[in-house]
Amino acid sequence: MNVFIVRPFGTKNNINFDRVETELIRPAMRAVGLTGGTTGEFVQQGNIRTDMFELLLIADLVIADVSIHNANVFYELGLRHALRDKRTFLLKSAGDDVPFDLKTDRYLPYDANDPAASVGALARALEATLDSQQQDSPVYQLLPDLEPADPDKFLIVPLDFREEVEQAEARKSPADLALLTCELEGFAWRAAGLRLIGMAQFRLKDWHGAKTTWKAVREYDDMDLEANTQLATVYQKLGDMVSSDQAVERALQSRAITNEARAEILALKARNAKTLWTRDWEHLQDLEARQASALMSPHLERSYHLYCQGFSEDRNHFYSGLNALAMLTILTELAQVQPTVWEDNFDAPEDAPLTLQKLKRLAADLAAGVKLAIASKRAILARTQQTDTWAEISAADLSFLASTRTSRIGQAYKSALAGADAQARESARNQLVLYQQLGILTDNTQAALQHVAPSGIEKVPEQAAPRVILFTGHRIDAEGREKPRFPRSKETQARALIHEAVEAERKTATGPLLGIAGGASGGDILFHEVCQELGIPTLLYLALPQDAYRAASVADSGAQWVERFQRLCEVNTPIILADADELPRWLRAKNEYTIWQRSNLWMLQHALTKSNDNLTLIALWNGDVEDGPGGTEDMVNRAKERGSAFIHLDTRTLLTDA
């Protein structure tokens, strides 16, 4: 996340504020993983006021030093309090008295003579501020109905970043989208970029990736409407109904939610209840047992009521109304075929038939409302010369629920599904099969299924993801390298280390193995050769096209390595990251980040995706810390965060071998 620092400059009132930033604020920010700066960094650009206003608005966190009475600090602090309702943090040394308007605000005290002593306290306080959803702006505390500015509306996501997201989606590559997610760290427009990626992952049905991305968006605001709406569906697809319902409740608390959106998300919650209801009975083999279990399940009525709530929010939302009618019809039909089970719901047996008749009247009223909603939708479609298969299927579903004319029902489905895609046919059929499994509405079901043939969608059994061995390691040292890492004379020993590590993985593997590595002279090529000897297939990932990569990462090691690289490319068609070594324009501002760091992260994300997180990272590495994203240390840390195994082949042992 990004920070904007509001403070005096230079030494004032015997406080060196530049030192305070260097020794206190910056170290605390680094400890929490924050980036950012002050207006002083924009002076030479000639538009300090514009930048200052923008940063006060879009910064995820503002740190303001109110140690002395400084007009600029108080002006900027006032602007922040007016623009954003939360995440403004105050700190103060022993200087001037705090102004009256800020006396009730909390702040972190520090010693101006030893600012570094408070780094730990400030880091903990910043973490707590980021985690808190409480308002700290006195403006919004006193005016609770005031809506804070939405920073995303003022942030421009670079065009070439948008294009990269579109290209990754077109390639249907969740791994490339995950790479972009990692690379957004440190950019002021990160949240807006995450939204683009999250929507692409959603469309690709990359539910695990979408969950990670939308949770990252929600870190900015627990009650983010879009994030919670997306997470509600994502969790549903992953089978986590509790988390889905929790996301729904958060979305419903948003002030920005429309009636149409409320109807949609209530219908999603109703769908969760319906899923839990089917789990209660679908495993039973005996028909009467299925019927009894389905009728007794509390999720049946809960689903019905939630669909009704959705339809009440928006009478044009025929989907929720139609499904409310379906659940109510199932309830009344089951009550008739299982009268004893139905009566057990009432203290007085005579109440059972009375309630059933009341529910049937409700169903008739509901059917009339749904009929009007569908008719309205079809009229709009006709007027605008558009078609909607789902509206036509809904009309057929309504006929199924409200009519006893089996020939009319069959014709309705035949017309609705003419030209429908496989997904639409499968959805319509699944609902009809549900009635069939419960043994209700049998005549209508038989008539409909005659015209709703199986979609032809074959459920291909999911193959177990391979265990992936991802390799990263040093190149062979250039002649005369000042600080040796991998001397040419130690190739045999390095090969033995790699062979031992890969062989150990092969012996413990319970399924298929796959190796992934680059093609640089040294560790990369040795890894591919070892895997080939052990019968393990590998994928060759190159940061640049083959000729450019050879020139950059192989040629200076000599003809022998070039020949081995060429042989490797002949048996493993290279997978290429980029056409040139220049980063995309949107990435060039990222400190200490090159195409080579990007290549490391790219391979890591592909390995994690292909292995479904069943990954071992082998690093032929001297253990030196490499700053910036994409370095070996960063790769190791990211892999460990995902639960990956890590094998460190320390090249320092090569230097100590006799």
Side-chain angles (χ1 to χ4, degrees):
M1 291 189 174
N2 283 279
V3 174
F4 183 50
I5 303 169
V6 175
R7 67 170 179 85
F9 291 93
T11 300
K12 293 181 175 63
N13 294 20
N14 297 318
I15 301 174
N16 185 337
F17 290 101
D18 296 342
R19 179 188 176 194
V20 172
E21 178 180 341
T22 302
E23 297 184 11
L24 172 58
I25 299 176
R26 292 287 183 174
M29 287 170 54
R30 285 194 293 271
V32 184
L34 301 173
T35 59
T38 68
T39 52
E41 298 172 17
F42 301 102
V43 171
Q44 293 183 346
Q45 298 179 19
N47 57 352
I48 183 172
R49 179 174 293 179
T50 300
D51 286 316
M52 182 260 289
F53 286 161
E54 181 180 277
L55 288 168
L56 286 169
L57 169 63
I58 68 175
D60 303 310
L61 173 68
V62 164
I63 301 173
D65 191 328
V66 294
S67 298
I68 65 172
H69 293 173
N70 182 281
N72 287 336
V73 169
F74 291 145
Y75 177 63
E76 293 175 28
L77 179 59
L79 284 172
R80 172 67 176 190
H81 279 161
L83 293 169
R84 299 289 294 274
D85 61 336
K86 60 176 72 77
R87 291 179 176 161
T88 301
F89 187 84
L90 308 182
L91 66 159
K92 183 183 184 305
S93 180
D96 298 335
D97 289 339
V98 178
F100 173 79
D101 289 343
L102 297 177
K103 280 188 179 293
T104 59
D105 292 356
R106 290 186 295 179
Y107 53 84
L108 178 78
Y110 69 88
D111 183 353
N113 295 317
D114 186 15
S118 299
V119 169
L122 179 57
R124 291 189 294 272
L126 294 180
E127 280 190 318
T129 301
L130 290 171
D131 289 339
S132 174
Q133 293 297 318
Q134 292 186 344
Q135 293 179 331
D136 52 41
S137 165
V139 176
Y140 292 91
Q141 289 172 346
L142 293 172
L143 301 172
D145 292 332
L146 185 65
E147 289 291 333
D150 181 358
D152 284 352
K153 293 181 179 179
F154 299 87
L155 290 167
I156 299 176
V157 178
L159 176 61
D160 55 341
F161 174 81
R162 290 177 178 272
E163 291 173 344
E164 280 211 60
V165 173
E166 292 170 359
Q167 291 162 7
E169 183 179 357
R171 290 192 299 270
K172 298 183 178 180
S173 176
D176 288 343
L177 290 171
L179 168 66
L180 295 174
T181 300
C182 294
E183 292 177 323
L184 280 176
E185 294 172 6
F187 287 101
W189 45 272
R190 176 174 178 260
L194 287 172
R195 293 180 194 276
L196 292 177
I197 294 171
M199 291 306 300
Q201 291 168 323
F202 190 96
R203 289 188 291 267
L204 289 179
K205 299 182 180 180
D206 174 20
W207 306 124
H208 289 284
K211 181 181 80 169
T212 300
T213 300
W214 285 111
K215 284 180 68 177
V217 173
R218 201 168 64 176
E219 284 293 312
Y220 290 88
D221 181 1
D222 283 351
M223 310 310 291
D224 187 286
L225 175 58
E226 184 181 31
N228 282 307
T229 300
Q230 295 299 317
L231 282 170
T233 299
V234 168
Y235 281 124
Q236 182 189 79
K237 297 296 184 181
L238 292 172
D240 185 352
M241 302 306 162
V242 173
S243 295
S244 179
D245 283 352
Q246 290 171 340
V248 166
E249 289 304 317
R250 291 190 185 199
L252 290 173
Q253 293 178 45
S254 171
R255 294 182 183 179
I257 192 169
T258 63
N259 288 346
E260 181 181 3
R262 288 182 67 86
E264 188 70 30
I265 202 161
L266 281 166
L268 189 150
K269 190 173 183 180
R271 174 69 183 178
N272 290 347
K274 182 180 178 182
T275 298
L276 295 174
W277 169 67
T278 58
R279 289 178 184 175
D280 284 344
W281 57 265
E282 63 183 352
H283 62 285
L284 299 172
Q285 298 300 314
D286 180 72
L287 176 59
E288 289 195 5
R290 280 202 301 270
Q291 292 174 339
S293 181
L295 182 56
M296 288 188 294
S297 172
H299 301 299
L300 174 57
E301 284 197 48
R302 182 167 180 267
S303 178
Y304 158 65
H305 286 300
L306 285 167
Y307 277 126
C308 273
Q309 287 180 38
F311 194 44
S312 296
E313 290 287 346
D314 182 0
R315 293 298 185 184
N316 289 318
H317 196 261
F318 59 82
Y319 171 82
S320 56
L322 181 63
N323 279 278
L325 177 61
M327 300 309 290
L328 181 56
T329 301
I330 290 171
L331 192 155
T332 57
E333 290 292 320
L334 289 174
Q336 292 176 93
V337 297
Q338 293 287 332
T340 303
V341 176
W342 175 245
E343 286 181 2
D344 288 343
N345 289 299
F346 303 91
D347 293 330
E350 60 271 18
D351 289 341
L354 294 175
T355 302
L356 181 58
Q357 290 304 313
K358 180 181 178 181
L359 292 176
K360 286 184 175 182
R361 289 194 295 271
L362 280 175
D365 292 342
L366 189 54
V370 173
K371 183 177 181 180
L372 286 173
I374 294 175
S376 176
K377 177 65 175 181
R378 295 171 90 180
I380 293 172
L381 290 169
R383 175 170 53 80
T384 57
Q385 297 183 330
Q386 295 178 321
T387 59
D388 185 341
T389 298
W390 295 104
E392 297 307 311
I393 292 174
S394 296
D397 288 339
L398 177 61
S399 178
F400 174 91
L401 294 168
S403 175
T404 57
R405 295 173 55 203
T406 55
S407 59
R408 176 70 190 95
I409 292 169
Q411 183 59 40
Y413 278 105
K414 182 179 180 180
S415 300
L417 294 171
D421 61 24
Q423 181 184 358
R425 299 183 68 85
E426 184 77 2
S427 177
R429 184 175 179 82
N430 286 343
Q431 182 64 26
L432 294 170
V433 168
L434 185 147
Y435 300 120
Q436 188 180 57
Q437 291 172 328
L438 290 172
I440 58 176
L441 301 172
T442 52
D443 291 342
N444 288 11
T445 301
Q446 184 177 358
L449 285 175
Q450 288 179 353
H451 299 280
V452 189
S455 64
I457 298 176
E458 294 185 12
K459 293 185 178 180
V460 180
E462 289 189 13
Q463 295 183 344
R467 180 161 187 81
V468 172
I469 307 173
L470 173 63
F471 180 87
T472 183
H474 294 311
R475 294 182 59 204
I476 283 282
D477 287 349
E479 291 290 348
R481 179 182 173 88
E482 183 177 344
K483 183 181 178 182
R485 296 188 309 184
F486 183 178
R488 292 169 182 261
S489 61
K490 300 297 183 179
E491 179 186 336
T492 301
Q493 292 93 320
R495 186 187 195 91
L497 287 175
I498 295 171
H499 189 284
E500 181 182 1
V502 175
E503 174 66 7
E505 287 294 306
R506 188 173 70 89
K507 286 182 177 179
T508 59
T510 57
L513 280 171
L514 174 68
I516 291 179
S521 55
D524 285 353
I525 292 179
L526 288 173
F527 173 77
H528 284 287
E529 291 174 346
V530 166
C531 286
Q532 186 176 11
E533 291 173 8
L534 296 174
I536 299 172
T538 62
L539 295 176
L540 174 60
Y541 280 71
L542 302 183
L544 300 170
Q546 186 173 329
D547 290 345
Y549 187 92
R550 182 181 62 238
S553 298
V554 184
D556 60 355
S557 296
Q560 180 200 32
W561 285 101
V562 170
E563 183 180 344
R564 290 160 76 175
F565 173 75
Q566 291 300 119
R567 286 201 302 267
L568 178 60
C569 291
E570 289 172 4
V571 296
N572 278 11
T573 302
I575 301 168
I576 310 299
L577 170 61
D579 294 331
D581 61 2
E582 188 174 40
L583 289 171
R585 190 180 303 278
W586 70 271
L587 257 183
R588 294 173 197 168
K590 200 173 185 70
N591 290 332
E592 300 179 7
Y593 195 60
T594 69
I595 192 67
W596 305 106
Q597 279 80 24
R598 188 178 212 207
S599 178
N600 280 343
L601 282 182
W602 172 61
M603 286 193 291
L604 175 61
Q605 295 305 325
H606 275 255
L608 288 167
T609 300
K610 290 181 182 297
S611 68
N612 197 19
D613 284 2
N614 187 14
L615 173 69
T616 295
L617 174 63
I618 298 177
L620 184 69
W621 174 42
N622 65 2
D624 282 355
V625 174
E626 299 181 39
D627 293 332
T632 301
E633 184 191 32
D634 185 48
M635 279 188 75
V636 170
N637 290 337
R638 289 179 186 271
K640 286 181 176 179
E641 287 173 2
R642 295 283 288 267
S644 303
F646 171 56
I647 299 174
H648 183 193
L649 307 180
D650 195 338
T651 58
R652 288 171 293 192
T653 62
L654 301 177
L655 304 178
T656 58
D657 287 345

